Amino acid sequence: MSEDWRADLKVALEDFVDTYVVRGAKQANVYDAIIEEIGNLRTAYDRDPDPAEDRARADVEEPSNDWPGAQR
């Protein structure tokens, strides 16, 4: 993979931040929130690098048929 993804990421982040600034958020607050959420994502990744893999092995739960409309 080339370094082009970094340029694309930069543009996407600028657009993302601008979306919230236009809605009234302060730019610094948006940056702080992004940094906080990245920290949360890193923590979650450290605990479980592939959460989708866990779900594939989980038992499939059947939907409940005891709601009123199911008896018809």
Side-chain angles (χ1 to χ4, degrees):
M1 180 180 274
S2 68
E3 291 295 314
D4 290 343
W5 68 269
R6 287 184 165 275
D8 292 343
L9 176 64
K10 181 180 185 285
V11 170
L13 283 172
E14 288 171 349
D15 289 343
F16 183 73
V17 170
D18 285 347
T19 298
Y20 292 98
V21 170
V22 167
R23 292 181 185 176
K26 291 184 178 178
Q27 190 177 45
N29 292 342
V30 176
Y31 290 148
D32 291 342
I34 291 169
I35 291 167
E36 181 180 339
E37 288 304 319
I38 288 172
N40 294 340
L41 289 171
R42 283 186 171 185
T43 300
Y45 181 81
D46 287 344
R47 281 191 221 131
D48 190 358
D50 192 359
E53 186 178 86
D54 296 342
R55 187 68 189 143
R57 285 185 253 151
D59 291 332
V60 176
E61 294 180 25
E62 293 296 324
S64 174
N65 286 333
D66 59 355
W67 55 281
Q71 304 301 325
R72 295 182 187 179

